Amino acid sequence: MARPRITDSTGRAALQQALAGPGASRTDIATAVRYLLELLVERAPGNTVEVRVPPFGAVQCIEGPRHTRGTPPNVVEMDAQTWLSLASGGATWTEAVATGKVHASGQRADLTGLVPLLLPR
């Protein structure tokens, strides 16, 4: 059974709180991360790249060869703050990879052109 999608109003409110500073609640951070992962899947549906933001979520996205078992050949992994910053325009993909905040493995493990997903209002 599919989980219900996080509404835009709930997701944006959580994102605003999560980006407000170090006092953000774990619930707001988790909701913001999951909301932005949902937006990524909407923007780039598919099963070629697995994007992981432990411990809050992981999704498969980007069209191409489907991965079905074992470790995916294309993985992008980062912490929650890095994902929130990338997805909301606070950092660029190039910066995040160059500074080691994003671990990307595989030929197709590249989110260039997909982030930012939205800019905070």
Side-chain angles (χ1 to χ4, degrees), residues 73-74 105-110:
N74 300 290
S105 62
Q107 290 180 333
R108 301 176 65 104
D110 187 344

Side-chain angles (χ1 to χ4, degrees), residues 41-87:
V41 171
E42 286 177 10
R43 178 175 285 180
N47 297 96
T48 298
V49 178
E50 185 165 292
V51 178
R52 300 174 180 168
V53 185
F56 302 113
V59 296
Q60 291 187 354
C61 59
I62 303 175
E63 288 186 21
R66 182 175 179 85
H67 165 75
T68 56
R69 295 186 351 172
T71 301
N74 300 290
V75 176
V76 173
E77 187 167 338
M78 68 202 86
D79 64 33
Q81 289 305 321
T82 300
W83 173 240
L84 295 174
S85 183
L86 272 174

